[in-house]
Amino acid sequence: MNSFKGNSRLLICCTLAFVLSTVGWVTNDRAVAAENTVSCTDCHDDKQNTQYAHNPVAEGECTVCHEPEPVHLEEGGPGGMKTDRTASACYQCHDNMAAGSTVHPALEIEGECIQCHNPHGSSVEKLLVKPLISLCQECHEPVPAEAAAGSQHLAVTEGKGCLNCHNPHSGNQAALLNASLKTLCLGCHDQEITTWEGDEIESVKNIKEKLDLPYVHEPATEDDGCTTCHAPHGSKHQKLLTASFPGKNYYKPGTDPDEKIFELCFTCHDQAMLNKDISSTDTGFRNDTLQNGTVVRNNLHRFHVVNVVEGRSCNICHDPHGASQPHNLRSKWTMKTFEPTLLFESRPDGGECLKSCHRPKTYQRLD
Ligand code: HEC
Ligand code: HEC
Ligand code: HEC
Ligand code: HEC
Ligand code: HEC
Ligand code: HEC
Ligand code: HEC
Ligand code: HEC
Ligand code: HEC
Ligand code: HEC
């Protein structure tokens, strides 16, 4: 029965092909494909019935990727069928996806394209074998497990997910990024972003605006600066930070001597700036007085950060991105309900805080 069906169909196909070729139409593979359609879909009626059918499948061009031997059509499979599973089958119609200086190594594994695409059709857009994020996570665990307790980046899961930042095939940026790092980050962080955290509105400040201020923190000027301090996918620290830094304006000085609360800053700056005994080079934020002929130094970094009952975080005075006053000093800092002003005046031998948490105060360095 099967073979009879197959034979009769083959006959029709051959006749059709003959008719078409005599009028000079059948000179390419597509016409041969069309000819085979009749038989393929009769026995394989599931291939075209997908939500998103691949164009050549919808068109019945099965033989652009499959090469049947007559026995397959006559008697049905399995066997008697060659299938091209490599990218070269796809490149008959599509541009080279492996162009560019960085190629996704997934494109160099055998069966390259069909690891991610169903060649026939799919219920997921772009013929993906499964929804995007679970597809990527089949081979990658980009979001560190400990991020659950720290911070996650909404950009990884919202909108185009991984594709907000990566090209799945190839490109000219490291790590398959869609743009150079800073441009990529500032593409979204050129405005204030508001999100809902339960019932509370959270707002994330405009970073680009800060980089246009006169005193930009040096690492934030570097092309890869953002990822020196931030992990793009998620982190065990708050604000996607790559090392510890307090999330509050005030913190109780820890009882644990190993507590590395300002680890982030001290990966580059010298922690000696917080010591009780300092030399003239440890910090400029100090008030020197002459007592009995010797210089006595009052370390104002230590005073604010360590000595006061509730320590002040660096963040109260400095902005890690950019600021309007010298030494990356902010002009205001953020509390829950208001933004106190901080007005600083730099002097060759010190400085003056004109408006801040206290009445105007000056400090002076003697050497
Ligand atoms: C007479 C029925 C029949 C026709 C016509 C037919 N097939 Fe099949 N084909 C089968 C059966 C039965 C199998 C084995 C069961 C299965 O995999 O579905 C099979 C298997 C296949 C397989 C898997 C091969 C393997 O080695 O595992 C491919 C690919 C395939 N067919 C493609 C085609 C294409 C393309 C056409 C048209 C050019 C076609 N078939 C026409 C019946 C048919
Ligand atoms: C763009 C290339 C391409 C086109 C067009 C195409 N196929 Fe396939 N097909 C493949 C590849 C590649 C595989 C092997 C998949 C694998 O190994 O995971 C395959 C596997 C199959 C199989 C066996 C596995 C399965 O999924 O059932 C059948 C049957 C099949 N194709 C039938 C068809 C039919 C019928 C058509 C036309 C309506 C068609 N194919 C068009 C590339 C294609
Ligand atoms: C016979 C030509 C042909 C071959 C061979 C071919 N494609 Fe396509 N493909 C098309 C056409 C035509 C479209 C629709 C074009 C468009 O919308 O821009 C398409 C669209 C796609 C899309 C986008 C689907 C969508 O929903 O937007 C993907 C992904 C794709 N092809 C992957 C592949 C892969 C993987 C292979 C190899 C296994 C392949 N194609 C082989 C012709 C082909
Ligand atoms: C690691 C998974 C992965 C691999 C491997 C892969 N792709 Fe894709 N491809 C994707 C994703 C994800 C998209 C959707 C892109 C988007 O929506 O911007 C896509 C989109 C496409 C499109 C549609 C482009 C468009 O602009 O609509 C084509 C065509 C395509 N891929 C072909 C291929 C070919 C050919 C290969 C093999 C050389 C391949 N892909 C390998 C994941 C992959
Ligand atoms: C079939 C497995 C597979 C899938 C699916 C897959 N990848 Fe990959 N990918 C790899 C391999 C292998 C590497 C190289 C080793 C590594 O970095 O883990 C890689 C590397 C990468 C890299 C680093 C490239 C570089 O040059 O530094 C990025 C970015 C990436 N993949 C993104 C994605 C995204 C986004 C998706 C989903 C669209 C995805 N991958 C899906 C296998 C896969
Ligand atoms: C907000 C942008 C962004 C999003 C969204 C994003 N990535 Fe990345 N990804 C990056 C950056 C930036 C790097 C390079 C990190 C570096 O150089 O330190 C990277 C690196 C990678 C790497 C290389 C290995 C590594 O961890 O450094 C892989 C693999 C990767 N990403 C996969 C993914 C996957 C999978 C998703 C989606 C679940 C995703 N990324 C979402 C920005 C992003
Ligand atoms: C596609 C848009 C998009 C891109 C690209 C993007 N972000 Fe974000 N980012 C967001 C959104 C939306 C939020 C607010 C929601 C949240 O907290 O994740 C956010 C929040 C953040 C936060 C605060 C996280 C927190 O816990 O409050 C940091 C830090 C951050 N992004 C850094 C980066 C860096 C660094 C890059 C470049 C590697 C980058 N972003 C690229 C959309 C983006
Ligand atoms: C020297 C380290 C450092 C560099 C470089 C850096 N950041 Fe930050 N970033 C921080 C710290 C610390 C915080 C948390 C304190 C704060 O919000 O000021 C933060 C907070 C953020 C936030 C959240 C702001 C909010 O209101 O919650 C975003 C978004 C952000 N950074 C993006 C970026 C981008 C984009 C770059 C690259 C242009 C970058 N960062 C470079 C240290 C850095
Ligand atoms: C990746 C290295 C790096 C990290 C991390 C870093 N900085 Fe910096 N910082 C620099 C460099 C480089 C300069 C410019 C040279 C200098 O003044 O030491 C600078 C300058 C500064 C200045 C201006 C000094 C002046 O007198 O003008 C302040 C204030 C500052 N950083 C504070 C911080 C704070 C607060 C943190 C933690 C949130 C931090 N930095 C994290 C590298 C870093
Ligand atoms: C009460 C405000 C305040 C706090 C809190 C503060 N700083 Fe400063 N910082 C200053 C002032 C003012 C200067 C400028 C000193 C000068 O005149 O040169 C400064 C200077 C600096 C410099 C330049 C080198 C130096 O020491 O003079 C660095 C680096 C720095 N601060 C880092 C930090 C770090 C890291 C923290 C948190 C551990 C922090 N600051 C906390 C006010 C503050």
Side-chain angles (χ1 to χ4, degrees), residues 251-253 274-277 297-312:
Y251 77 102
K252 269 216 176 327
L274 293 185
N275 288 350
K276 187 164 181 290
D277 297 318
R297 306 182 197 282
N298 181 10
N299 182 346
L300 296 175
H301 266 133
R302 184 180 174 85
F303 174 80
H304 287 93
V305 177
V306 182
N307 285 5
V308 285
V309 179
E310 292 239 279
R312 268 71 175 154

PDB file of all heavy atoms in Angstrom, residues 251-253 274-277 297-312:
ATOM      1  N   TYR A 251      26.496  53.413  58.761  1.00  0.00           N
ATOM      2  CA  TYR A 251      26.597  52.008  59.153  1.00  0.00           C
ATOM      3  C   TYR A 251      27.290  51.980  60.496  1.00  0.00           C
ATOM      4  O   TYR A 251      28.086  52.866  60.832  1.00  0.00           O
ATOM      5  CB  TYR A 251      27.401  51.229  58.114  1.00  0.00           C
ATOM      6  CG  TYR A 251      28.865  51.460  58.227  1.00  0.00           C
ATOM      7  CD1 TYR A 251      29.693  50.514  58.843  1.00  0.00           C
ATOM      8  CD2 TYR A 251      29.443  52.660  57.802  1.00  0.00           C
ATOM      9  CE1 TYR A 251      31.042  50.766  59.009  1.00  0.00           C
ATOM     10  CE2 TYR A 251      30.784  52.903  57.959  1.00  0.00           C
ATOM     11  CZ  TYR A 251      31.580  51.958  58.565  1.00  0.00           C
ATOM     12  OH  TYR A 251      32.901  52.203  58.749  1.00  0.00           O
ATOM     13  N   LYS A 252      26.986  50.989  61.287  1.00  0.00           N
ATOM     14  CA  LYS A 252      27.650  50.850  62.580  1.00  0.00           C
ATOM     15  C   LYS A 252      29.012  50.227  62.334  1.00  0.00           C
ATOM     16  O   LYS A 252      29.097  49.187  61.690  1.00  0.00           O
ATOM     17  CB  LYS A 252      26.828  49.917  63.465  1.00  0.00           C
ATOM     18  CG  LYS A 252      25.800  50.611  64.317  1.00  0.00           C
ATOM     19  CD  LYS A 252      25.706  49.889  65.667  1.00  0.00           C
ATOM     20  CE  LYS A 252      24.759  50.566  66.639  1.00  0.00           C
ATOM     21  NZ  LYS A 252      24.679  51.999  66.553  1.00  0.00           N
ATOM     22  N   PRO A 253      30.084  50.878  62.815  1.00  0.00           N
ATOM     23  CA  PRO A 253      31.394  50.256  62.592  1.00  0.00           C
ATOM     24  C   PRO A 253      31.362  48.819  63.097  1.00  0.00           C
ATOM     25  O   PRO A 253      30.875  48.550  64.194  1.00  0.00           O
ATOM     26  CB  PRO A 253      32.337  51.119  63.431  1.00  0.00           C
ATOM     27  CG  PRO A 253      31.633  52.420  63.598  1.00  0.00           C
ATOM     28  CD  PRO A 253      30.172  52.112  63.590  1.00  0.00           C
ATOM     29  N   LEU A 274      42.399  55.637  56.492  1.00  0.00           N
ATOM     30  CA  LEU A 274      41.510  55.556  57.653  1.00  0.00           C
ATOM     31  C   LEU A 274      42.276  55.349  58.964  1.00  0.00           C
ATOM     32  O   LEU A 274      41.682  55.273  60.034  1.00  0.00           O
ATOM     33  CB  LEU A 274      40.499  54.410  57.468  1.00  0.00           C
ATOM     34  CG  LEU A 274      39.448  54.565  56.358  1.00  0.00           C
ATOM     35  CD1 LEU A 274      38.461  53.399  56.394  1.00  0.00           C
ATOM     36  CD2 LEU A 274      38.685  55.882  56.482  1.00  0.00           C
ATOM     37  N   ASN A 275      43.598  55.257  58.889  1.00  0.00           N
ATOM     38  CA  ASN A 275      44.372  54.985  60.102  1.00  0.00           C
ATOM     39  C   ASN A 275      44.359  56.156  61.072  1.00  0.00           C
ATOM     40  O   ASN A 275      44.182  57.309  60.681  1.00  0.00           O
ATOM     41  CB  ASN A 275      45.825  54.657  59.728  1.00  0.00           C
ATOM     42  CG  ASN A 275      45.938  53.281  59.087  1.00  0.00           C
ATOM     43  OD1 ASN A 275      44.974  52.504  59.089  1.00  0.00           O
ATOM     44  ND2 ASN A 275      47.112  52.989  58.527  1.00  0.00           N
ATOM     45  N   LYS A 276      44.592  55.825  62.326  1.00  0.00           N
ATOM     46  CA  LYS A 276      44.650  56.850  63.362  1.00  0.00           C
ATOM     47  C   LYS A 276      45.934  57.671  63.193  1.00  0.00           C
ATOM     48  O   LYS A 276      45.890  58.898  63.150  1.00  0.00           O
ATOM     49  CB  LYS A 276      44.639  56.180  64.741  1.00  0.00           C
ATOM     50  CG  LYS A 276      44.534  57.130  65.910  1.00  0.00           C
ATOM     51  CD  LYS A 276      44.142  56.358  67.174  1.00  0.00           C
ATOM     52  CE  LYS A 276      44.011  57.293  68.372  1.00  0.00           C
ATOM     53  NZ  LYS A 276      45.308  57.819  68.821  1.00  0.00           N
ATOM     54  N   ASP A 277      47.035  56.970  63.073  1.00  0.00           N
ATOM     55  CA  ASP A 277      48.297  57.677  62.857  1.00  0.00           C
ATOM     56  C   ASP A 277      48.591  57.738  61.367  1.00  0.00           C
ATOM     57  O   ASP A 277      48.658  56.698  60.707  1.00  0.00           O
ATOM     58  CB  ASP A 277      49.445  56.938  63.568  1.00  0.00           C
ATOM     59  CG  ASP A 277      49.201  56.928  65.075  1.00  0.00           C
ATOM     60  OD1 ASP A 277      48.781  57.960  65.613  1.00  0.00           O
ATOM     61  OD2 ASP A 277      49.408  55.848  65.694  1.00  0.00           O
ATOM     62  N   ARG A 297      48.183  65.489  63.614  1.00  0.00           N
ATOM     63  CA  ARG A 297      47.238  65.361  62.491  1.00  0.00           C
ATOM     64  C   ARG A 297      45.913  64.781  62.969  1.00  0.00           C
ATOM     65  O   ARG A 297      45.881  63.723  63.578  1.00  0.00           O
ATOM     66  CB  ARG A 297      47.813  64.442  61.409  1.00  0.00           C
ATOM     67  CG  ARG A 297      49.186  64.878  60.937  1.00  0.00           C
ATOM     68  CD  ARG A 297      49.697  63.980  59.837  1.00  0.00           C
ATOM     69  NE  ARG A 297      51.145  64.138  59.671  1.00  0.00           N
ATOM     70  CZ  ARG A 297      51.706  65.157  59.045  1.00  0.00           C
ATOM     71  NH1 ARG A 297      50.962  66.114  58.550  1.00  0.00           N
ATOM     72  NH2 ARG A 297      53.024  65.242  58.944  1.00  0.00           N
ATOM     73  N   ASN A 298      44.821  65.458  62.631  1.00  0.00           N
ATOM     74  CA  ASN A 298      43.497  64.909  62.915  1.00  0.00           C
ATOM     75  C   ASN A 298      42.950  64.370  61.588  1.00  0.00           C
ATOM     76  O   ASN A 298      42.617  65.137  60.688  1.00  0.00           O
ATOM     77  CB  ASN A 298      42.586  66.009  63.487  1.00  0.00           C
ATOM     78  CG  ASN A 298      41.196  65.478  63.811  1.00  0.00           C
ATOM     79  OD1 ASN A 298      40.978  64.275  63.789  1.00  0.00           O
ATOM     80  ND2 ASN A 298      40.275  66.380  64.093  1.00  0.00           N
ATOM     81  N   ASN A 299      42.906  63.065  61.500  1.00  0.00           N
ATOM     82  CA  ASN A 299      42.465  62.421  60.253  1.00  0.00           C
ATOM     83  C   ASN A 299      40.939  62.557  60.117  1.00  0.00           C
ATOM     84  O   ASN A 299      40.173  61.897  60.808  1.00  0.00           O
ATOM     85  CB  ASN A 299      42.878  60.944  60.255  1.00  0.00           C
ATOM     86  CG  ASN A 299      42.490  60.254  58.959  1.00  0.00           C
ATOM     87  OD1 ASN A 299      41.703  60.776  58.163  1.00  0.00           O
ATOM     88  ND2 ASN A 299      43.043  59.068  58.751  1.00  0.00           N
ATOM     89  N   LEU A 300      40.511  63.414  59.193  1.00  0.00           N
ATOM     90  CA  LEU A 300      39.074  63.665  59.042  1.00  0.00           C
ATOM     91  C   LEU A 300      38.352  62.548  58.291  1.00  0.00           C
ATOM     92  O   LEU A 300      37.144  62.391  58.408  1.00  0.00           O
ATOM     93  CB  LEU A 300      38.845  65.023  58.369  1.00  0.00           C
ATOM     94  CG  LEU A 300      39.340  66.211  59.205  1.00  0.00           C
ATOM     95  CD1 LEU A 300      39.196  67.520  58.427  1.00  0.00           C
ATOM     96  CD2 LEU A 300      38.614  66.321  60.544  1.00  0.00           C
ATOM     97  N   HIS A 301      39.085  61.769  57.518  1.00  0.00           N
ATOM     98  CA  HIS A 301      38.470  60.568  56.942  1.00  0.00           C
ATOM     99  C   HIS A 301      38.123  59.602  58.063  1.00  0.00           C
ATOM    100  O   HIS A 301      37.009  59.106  58.156  1.00  0.00           O
ATOM    101  CB  HIS A 301      39.427  59.884  55.941  1.00  0.00           C
ATOM    102  CG  HIS A 301      39.202  60.300  54.520  1.00  0.00           C
ATOM    103  ND1 HIS A 301      40.217  60.655  53.669  1.00  0.00           N
ATOM    104  CD2 HIS A 301      38.056  60.415  53.787  1.00  0.00           C
ATOM    105  CE1 HIS A 301      39.708  60.979  52.486  1.00  0.00           C
ATOM    106  NE2 HIS A 301      38.402  60.843  52.539  1.00  0.00           N
ATOM    107  N   ARG A 302      39.111  59.367  58.944  1.00  0.00           N
ATOM    108  CA  ARG A 302      38.862  58.463  60.056  1.00  0.00           C
ATOM    109  C   ARG A 302      37.745  59.011  60.941  1.00  0.00           C
ATOM    110  O   ARG A 302      36.863  58.261  61.374  1.00  0.00           O
ATOM    111  CB  ARG A 302      40.133  58.263  60.883  1.00  0.00           C
ATOM    112  CG  ARG A 302      39.933  57.256  61.993  1.00  0.00           C
ATOM    113  CD  ARG A 302      41.187  57.056  62.816  1.00  0.00           C
ATOM    114  NE  ARG A 302      40.901  56.186  63.951  1.00  0.00           N
ATOM    115  CZ  ARG A 302      40.931  54.867  63.878  1.00  0.00           C
ATOM    116  NH1 ARG A 302      41.228  54.252  62.757  1.00  0.00           N
ATOM    117  NH2 ARG A 302      40.647  54.136  64.955  1.00  0.00           N
ATOM    118  N   PHE A 303      37.775  60.312  61.183  1.00  0.00           N
ATOM    119  CA  PHE A 303      36.762  60.917  62.042  1.00  0.00           C
ATOM    120  C   PHE A 303      35.357  60.611  61.520  1.00  0.00           C
ATOM    121  O   PHE A 303      34.499  60.124  62.237  1.00  0.00           O
ATOM    122  CB  PHE A 303      36.964  62.439  62.145  1.00  0.00           C
ATOM    123  CG  PHE A 303      35.846  63.100  62.901  1.00  0.00           C
ATOM    124  CD1 PHE A 303      35.828  63.086  64.289  1.00  0.00           C
ATOM    125  CD2 PHE A 303      34.791  63.710  62.224  1.00  0.00           C
ATOM    126  CE1 PHE A 303      34.769  63.661  64.992  1.00  0.00           C
ATOM    127  CE2 PHE A 303      33.727  64.282  62.913  1.00  0.00           C
ATOM    128  CZ  PHE A 303      33.722  64.260  64.301  1.00  0.00           C
ATOM    129  N   HIS A 304      35.137  60.890  60.214  1.00  0.00           N
ATOM    130  CA  HIS A 304      33.776  60.729  59.676  1.00  0.00           C
ATOM    131  C   HIS A 304      33.380  59.272  59.471  1.00  0.00           C
ATOM    132  O   HIS A 304      32.250  58.895  59.712  1.00  0.00           O
ATOM    133  CB  HIS A 304      33.650  61.451  58.324  1.00  0.00           C
ATOM    134  CG  HIS A 304      33.605  62.938  58.451  1.00  0.00           C
ATOM    135  ND1 HIS A 304      34.723  63.733  58.367  1.00  0.00           N
ATOM    136  CD2 HIS A 304      32.574  63.780  58.656  1.00  0.00           C
ATOM    137  CE1 HIS A 304      34.385  64.999  58.515  1.00  0.00           C
ATOM    138  NE2 HIS A 304      33.078  65.068  58.697  1.00  0.00           N
ATOM    139  N   VAL A 305      34.331  58.487  59.040  1.00  0.00           N
ATOM    140  CA  VAL A 305      33.986  57.120  58.633  1.00  0.00           C
ATOM    141  C   VAL A 305      33.997  56.161  59.815  1.00  0.00           C
ATOM    142  O   VAL A 305      33.155  55.260  59.906  1.00  0.00           O
ATOM    143  CB  VAL A 305      34.949  56.634  57.526  1.00  0.00           C
ATOM    144  CG1 VAL A 305      34.650  55.194  57.136  1.00  0.00           C
ATOM    145  CG2 VAL A 305      34.873  57.538  56.308  1.00  0.00           C
ATOM    146  N   VAL A 306      34.944  56.377  60.747  1.00  0.00           N
ATOM    147  CA  VAL A 306      35.132  55.388  61.811  1.00  0.00           C
ATOM    148  C   VAL A 306      34.747  55.915  63.190  1.00  0.00           C
ATOM    149  O   VAL A 306      34.039  55.256  63.940  1.00  0.00           O
ATOM    150  CB  VAL A 306      36.609  54.903  61.847  1.00  0.00           C
ATOM    151  CG1 VAL A 306      36.809  53.848  62.920  1.00  0.00           C
ATOM    152  CG2 VAL A 306      37.036  54.389  60.481  1.00  0.00           C
ATOM    153  N   ASN A 307      35.177  57.140  63.519  1.00  0.00           N
ATOM    154  CA  ASN A 307      35.049  57.597  64.898  1.00  0.00           C
ATOM    155  C   ASN A 307      33.634  57.945  65.336  1.00  0.00           C
ATOM    156  O   ASN A 307      33.242  57.671  66.452  1.00  0.00           O
ATOM    157  CB  ASN A 307      35.941  58.812  65.135  1.00  0.00           C
ATOM    158  CG  ASN A 307      37.410  58.413  65.232  1.00  0.00           C
ATOM    159  OD1 ASN A 307      37.741  57.253  65.024  1.00  0.00           O
ATOM    160  ND2 ASN A 307      38.274  59.361  65.535  1.00  0.00           N
ATOM    161  N   VAL A 308      32.884  58.613  64.470  1.00  0.00           N
ATOM    162  CA  VAL A 308      31.531  58.995  64.885  1.00  0.00           C
ATOM    163  C   VAL A 308      30.700  57.750  65.127  1.00  0.00           C
ATOM    164  O   VAL A 308      30.956  56.699  64.542  1.00  0.00           O
ATOM    165  CB  VAL A 308      30.847  59.907  63.832  1.00  0.00           C
ATOM    166  CG1 VAL A 308      31.425  61.298  63.883  1.00  0.00           C
ATOM    167  CG2 VAL A 308      30.952  59.315  62.454  1.00  0.00           C
ATOM    168  N   VAL A 309      29.685  57.894  65.990  1.00  0.00           N
ATOM    169  CA  VAL A 309      28.950  56.704  66.451  1.00  0.00           C
ATOM    170  C   VAL A 309      28.405  55.885  65.282  1.00  0.00           C
ATOM    171  O   VAL A 309      28.609  54.684  65.202  1.00  0.00           O
ATOM    172  CB  VAL A 309      27.797  57.116  67.398  1.00  0.00           C
ATOM    173  CG1 VAL A 309      27.029  55.879  67.856  1.00  0.00           C
ATOM    174  CG2 VAL A 309      28.373  57.859  68.599  1.00  0.00           C
ATOM    175  N   GLU A 310      27.725  56.555  64.366  1.00  0.00           N
ATOM    176  CA  GLU A 310      27.269  55.863  63.159  1.00  0.00           C
ATOM    177  C   GLU A 310      28.151  56.331  62.020  1.00  0.00           C
ATOM    178  O   GLU A 310      28.087  57.489  61.619  1.00  0.00           O
ATOM    179  CB  GLU A 310      25.815  56.211  62.869  1.00  0.00           C
ATOM    180  CG  GLU A 310      24.858  55.668  63.889  1.00  0.00           C
ATOM    181  CD  GLU A 310      23.841  54.745  63.243  1.00  0.00           C
ATOM    182  OE1 GLU A 310      22.880  55.253  62.672  1.00  0.00           O
ATOM    183  OE2 GLU A 310      24.032  53.514  63.304  1.00  0.00           O
ATOM    184  N   GLY A 311      28.978  55.451  61.502  1.00  0.00           N
ATOM    185  CA  GLY A 311      29.938  55.850  60.483  1.00  0.00           C
ATOM    186  C   GLY A 311      29.275  56.409  59.247  1.00  0.00           C
ATOM    187  O   GLY A 311      28.169  56.045  58.890  1.00  0.00           O
ATOM    188  N   ARG A 312      29.956  57.347  58.604  1.00  0.00           N
ATOM    189  CA  ARG A 312      29.465  57.903  57.348  1.00  0.00           C
ATOM    190  C   ARG A 312      30.119  57.145  56.205  1.00  0.00           C
ATOM    191  O   ARG A 312      31.340  57.037  56.161  1.00  0.00           O
ATOM    192  CB  ARG A 312      29.850  59.386  57.218  1.00  0.00           C
ATOM    193  CG  ARG A 312      28.825  60.351  57.740  1.00  0.00           C
ATOM    194  CD  ARG A 312      28.765  60.305  59.244  1.00  0.00           C
ATOM    195  NE  ARG A 312      27.859  61.325  59.788  1.00  0.00           N
ATOM    196  CZ  ARG A 312      27.244  61.210  60.955  1.00  0.00           C
ATOM    197  NH1 ARG A 312      27.395  60.122  61.684  1.00  0.00           N
ATOM    198  NH2 ARG A 312      26.472  62.181  61.397  1.00  0.00           N
TER     199      ARG A 312
END
